[in-house]
């Protein structure tokens, strides 16, 4: 029976699936499918290496505890907690650009200002205006902690030449203490560990060649598909931050730098950010690359990042749009070339990752239709190559998901060791079926978002529309109340006056246990 006669014996759907399954066994398509296997295995290997680095730090902390150090989450050598060492610690200014107020902000801010760093420390909360909902929440926070921490709120005003976040950061730098040696930029969705600032400072002191020190978040999905898409989007990036040292990646949510670099505008860090800067981390990473400066990511710099409980798919799409739009901004010609290469590579591998699943779905659908119709594979002349490829893809997918699960498990364990006072994190809430679906959805949508960003050259970020020209912001539009009412990840209210919730005093009472680092409470691991 020839192919034409065989296809005519099926109904239209059967004929389509049969023909498609045969076509998908051509050499070119086989290459695409095998490439999908390769992508899965490379991701699995990358997460395995990242797991090794994070797990090595866990073993180090446990070994330090067995050696008699009851505070390994603060330092590995207990002698570092001696008063003679603590009084010599450098001054650090923590600058926190704020926008809006959401369900996790109070917890995050509390974790930041109750750091157990033993040296001089100041916190600068920077808002756009007193009408920002964050302003009133921070005022209440500082009122409760006014006798315990050196913190203040700064009104930066509206940005005119750069993004509002960068403007807030630069105003904070201008207001920092004249004796500060380091400046730490933190986003309001960063949940610090008690020893995070001390660990970052210790690395800077140990290696003066470090230009920027950074970390990365561990997403805690809220249960929606949108939150899992964000978790999946961040996981491949986590490989670049789990090196335990030198890296080429930079996350704007946590960046520690030398304060004098801003005072002297070294390498143009101030002017490049101020004059048309859209993304703080991409701009600074470009400067570091151009001047061959060191970016460092210590293994303990991983921070819990709870996502909003009402994070819907639309807010995920807006977040993805902002992430792809970042590649349209650049500081130098080399930076533009690198962004274009990253744009092309990411788009290629995203659809290269999704395509094999689409092809395998056709193979399986054809095989199932033939099976239920009562045909044998020999009678239908259906090549078994497609089923063999689908089986290989399933195996590679399981390996990939196991590697992702293992890295998440280790990072959860590390976060629990670094924050022994906090409620323990758990993997029990992760839905791995949704993780797999999110992998397909996110990689399918990424090229679409990237292409749209390339042709639009404008983005709405927290109610402000930025327009780019030659990689720089050249126009800023504000239409208060007409933009989105919530930010993408934290579910923060952008407009109106909102204070702290009624149970705030309870949160404050919990956090006061960690304000006085010289008299720590019980830290039960």
């Amino acid at each position: 029976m020839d192919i034409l006669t065989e296809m005519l014996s099926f109904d239209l759907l059967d004929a389509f699936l049969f023909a498609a399954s045969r076509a998908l066994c051509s050499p070119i398509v086989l290459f695409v499918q095998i490439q999908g296997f390769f992508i899965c295995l490379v991701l699995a290997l990358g997460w395995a290496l990242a797991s090794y680095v994070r797990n090595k730090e866990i073993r180090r902390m446990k070994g330090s505890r067995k050696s008699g150090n009851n505070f390994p989450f603060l330092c590995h050598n207990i002698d570092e907690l001696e008063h003679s060492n603590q009084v010599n610690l450098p001054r650090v200014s923590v600058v926190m650009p704020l926008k809006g107020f959401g369900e996790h902000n109070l917890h995050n801010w509390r974790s930041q200002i109750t750091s157990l760093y033993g040296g001089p420390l100041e916190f600068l909360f920077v808002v756009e205006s007193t009408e920002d909902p964050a302003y009133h929440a921070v005022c209440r926070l500082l009122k409760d902690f006014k006798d315990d921490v050196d913190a203040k709120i700064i009104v930066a005003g509206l940005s005119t030449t750069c993004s509002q976040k960068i403007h807030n950061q630069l105003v904070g730098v201008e207001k920092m203490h004249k004796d500060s040696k380091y400046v730490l930029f933190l986003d309001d969705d960063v949940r610090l560990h008690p020893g995070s600032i001390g660990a970052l400072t210790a690395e800077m002191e140990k290696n003066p060649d470090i230009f920027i020190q950074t970390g990365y978040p561990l997403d805690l999905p809220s249960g929606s598909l949108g939150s899992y898409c964000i978790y999946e989007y961040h996981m491949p990036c986590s490989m670049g931050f789990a090196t335990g040292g030198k890296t080429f990646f930079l996350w704007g949510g946590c960046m520690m730098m030398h304060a004098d670099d801003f005072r002297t505008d070294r390498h143009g860090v101030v002017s490049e950010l101020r004059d048309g800067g859209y993304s703080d981390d991409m701009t600074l990473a470009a400067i570091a690359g151009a001047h061959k400066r060191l970016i460092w990511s210590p293994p303990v710099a991983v921070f819990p990042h709870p996502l909003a409980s009402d994070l819907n798919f639309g807010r995920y799409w807006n977040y993805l749009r902002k992430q792809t739009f970042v590649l349209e901004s650049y500081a130098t010609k080399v930076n533009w070339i690198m962004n274009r290469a990253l744009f092309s590579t990411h788009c290629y591998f995203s659809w290269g990752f999704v395509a094999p699943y689409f092809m395998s779905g056709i193979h399986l659908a054809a095989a199932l239709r033939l099976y239920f119709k009562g045909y044998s594979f020999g009678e239908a002349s259906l090549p078994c190559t497609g089923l063999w490829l689908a089986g290989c893809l399933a195996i590679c997918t399981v390996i990939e998901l196991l590697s992702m699960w293992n890295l998440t498990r280790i990072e959860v364990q590390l976060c629990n060791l670094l924050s022994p006072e906090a409620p323990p994190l758990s993997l029990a809430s992760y839905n791995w079926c949704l993780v797999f679906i999110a992998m397909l959805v996110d990689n399918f949508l990424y090229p679409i978002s990237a292409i749209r960003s390339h042709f639009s050259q404008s983005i709405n970020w927290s109610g402000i529309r930025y327009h780019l020209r030659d990689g720089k912001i050249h126009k800023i539009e504000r239409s208060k109340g007409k933009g989105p009412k919530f930010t993408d990840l934290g579910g923060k209210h952008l407009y109106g006056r909102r204070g702290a919730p009624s149970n705030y005093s309870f949160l404050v009472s919990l956090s006061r246990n960690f304000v006085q680092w010289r008299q720590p409470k019980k830290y039960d691991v």
Side-chain angles (χ1 to χ4, degrees):
M1 181 182 295
D2 60 22
I3 296 177
L4 179 61
T5 305
E6 185 178 343
M7 291 176 62
L8 291 175
S9 66
F10 300 154
D11 59 28
L12 187 60
L13 178 60
D14 294 334
F16 169 76
L17 291 175
F18 179 74
S21 182
R22 279 183 169 276
L24 292 178
C25 289
S26 64
I28 295 178
V29 179
L30 287 177
F31 170 77
V32 174
Q33 292 181 295
I34 293 174
Q35 176 185 264
F37 308 159
F38 176 76
I39 294 173
C40 287
L41 295 177
V42 167
L43 287 172
L45 177 61
W47 285 324
L49 294 175
S51 300
Y52 172 78
V53 173
R54 303 291 193 196
N55 196 42
K56 185 177 180 181
E57 183 63 24
I58 291 175
R59 294 195 302 268
R60 184 181 177 188
M61 291 180 66
K62 290 182 176 179
S64 180
R65 189 174 182 84
K66 288 180 180 179
S67 300
N69 179 9
N70 291 324
F71 306 101
F73 58 94
L74 294 181
C75 57
H76 293 294
N77 185 356
I78 191 66
D79 293 335
E80 295 178 11
L81 295 179
E82 293 290 340
H83 179 72
S84 57
N85 291 322
Q86 296 290 308
V87 295
N88 294 321
L89 290 175
R91 175 179 286 276
V92 177
S93 293
V94 183
V95 176
M96 291 162 283
L98 308 181
K99 178 70 174 180
F101 177 74
E103 60 182 302
H104 300 297
N105 284 147
L106 280 175
H107 193 169
N108 297 338
W109 296 337
R110 182 170 56 87
S111 73
Q112 293 170 1
I113 67 174
T114 56
S115 169
L116 298 185
Y117 179 64
L121 189 61
E122 68 170 346
F123 298 90
L124 305 174
F125 294 88
V126 190
V127 296
E128 173 187 303
S129 71
T130 57
E131 295 181 3
D132 192 314
Y135 177 83
H136 305 283
V138 172
C139 285
R140 292 192 61 180
L141 178 71
L142 300 189
K143 182 178 179 181
D144 285 291
F145 281 91
K146 63 181 179 180
D147 297 327
D148 300 315
V149 297
D150 179 7
K152 58 184 175 182
I153 185 168
I154 299 171
V155 178
L158 302 180
S159 64
T160 57
T161 62
C162 59
S163 69
Q164 188 64 47
K165 178 184 177 182
I166 290 177
H167 176 70
N168 288 9
Q169 289 173 324
L170 295 179
V171 171
V173 167
E174 291 176 359
K175 302 295 184 181
M176 69 181 175
H177 196 281
K178 61 181 180 64
D179 294 328
S180 289
K181 186 174 183 180
Y182 303 113
V183 56
L184 173 61
F185 298 105
L186 294 177
D187 282 356
D188 57 7
D189 56 358
V190 174
R191 186 167 294 181
L192 286 185
H193 307 291
S196 292
I197 297 179
L200 293 172
T201 305
E203 290 289 339
M204 298 290 280
E205 290 287 283
K206 188 188 306 180
N207 187 357
D209 291 333
I210 296 176
F211 179 54
I212 309 174
Q213 198 167 187
T214 188
Y216 206 63
L218 166 63
D219 288 326
L220 307 176
S222 59
S224 66
L225 177 60
S227 67
Y228 278 101
C229 285
I230 290 171
Y231 162 76
E232 189 282 329
Y233 175 81
H234 283 158
M235 282 303 290
C237 302
S238 66
M239 302 175 195
F241 294 87
T243 61
K246 182 180 180 180
T247 182
F248 299 99
F249 299 89
L250 184 59
W251 178 52
C254 174
M255 302 185 298
M256 177 174 277
M257 301 180 65
H258 295 268
D260 282 342
D261 287 347
F262 286 89
R263 295 189 181 106
T264 61
D265 193 19
R266 188 177 187 186
H267 304 316
V269 293
V270 174
S271 56
E272 289 287 353
L273 288 170
R274 181 190 58 222
D275 301 333
Y278 168 75
S279 171
D280 53 337
D281 48 13
M282 292 292 285
T283 302
L284 291 173
I287 292 174
H291 296 275
K292 296 181 172 53
R293 297 302 307 275
L294 180 61
I295 301 176
W296 195 265
S297 182
V300 295
V302 54
F303 311 106
H305 181 213
L307 300 172
S309 58
D310 59 347
L311 199 159
N312 57 33
F313 195 80
R315 297 227 298 272
Y316 152 71
W317 171 251
N318 289 334
Y319 176 77
L320 184 62
R321 284 274 291 112
K322 290 197 303 183
Q323 296 303 302
T324 55
F325 188 76
V326 164
L327 296 179
E328 300 304 314
S329 65
Y330 53 89
T332 63
K333 186 66 174 180
V334 173
N335 189 208
W336 177 83
I337 294 174
M338 292 181 64
N339 283 3
R340 294 277 67 79
L342 185 58
F343 172 96
S344 304
T345 302
H346 201 154
C347 289
Y348 176 81
F349 283 112
S350 288
W351 275 352
F353 175 84
V354 174
Y357 290 97
F358 173 76
M359 298 172 185
S360 295
I362 291 178
H363 289 311
L364 291 175
L368 289 173
R369 290 286 291 183
L370 292 173
Y371 174 79
F372 287 115
K373 288 284 187 177
Y375 290 94
S376 68
F377 290 114
E379 293 173 337
S381 299
L382 181 70
C384 295
T385 305
L387 293 180
W388 181 82
L389 291 172
C392 291
L393 181 61
I395 294 173
C396 292
T397 301
V398 170
I399 295 173
E400 178 188 18
L401 287 173
L402 284 174
S403 184
M404 182 190 293
W405 168 83
N406 186 54
L407 175 59
T408 306
R409 176 187 66 84
I410 289 174
E411 289 188 338
V412 163
Q413 185 179 0
L414 180 57
C415 286
N416 287 335
L417 289 174
L418 292 170
S419 292
E421 85 292 348
L425 306 178
S426 172
L427 278 177
S429 62
Y430 284 75
N431 185 326
W432 294 97
C433 290
L434 277 179
V435 170
F436 172 69
I437 295 173
M439 289 167 59
L440 299 179
V441 171
D442 182 65
N443 282 284
F444 176 76
L445 291 178
Y446 183 91
I448 299 174
S449 175
I451 293 170
R452 182 178 175 183
S453 295
H454 177 69
F455 287 103
S456 69
Q457 290 295 299
S458 70
I459 193 71
N460 190 314
W461 185 6
S462 297
I464 306 173
R465 181 162 291 278
Y466 299 101
H467 298 263
L468 295 185
R469 179 187 294 165
D470 297 328
K472 301 284 188 177
I473 291 177
H474 80 99
K475 183 180 179 181
I476 301 175
E477 295 178 344
R478 290 181 172 87
S479 53
K480 183 178 177 183
K482 296 182 180 180
K485 295 182 179 180
F486 301 93
T487 54
D488 306 313
L489 303 188
K492 298 184 294 183
H493 292 264
L494 298 179
Y495 310 112
R497 294 175 176 270
R498 290 179 60 87
S502 58
N503 64 341
Y504 178 66
S505 59
F506 172 69
L507 296 177
V508 172
S509 66
L510 290 178
S511 65
R512 287 186 183 277
N513 293 331
F514 300 95
V515 175
Q516 300 297 331
W517 72 269
R518 290 184 179 84
Q519 296 179 353
K521 306 298 181 182
K522 295 181 180 179
Y523 294 92
D524 300 322
V525 179

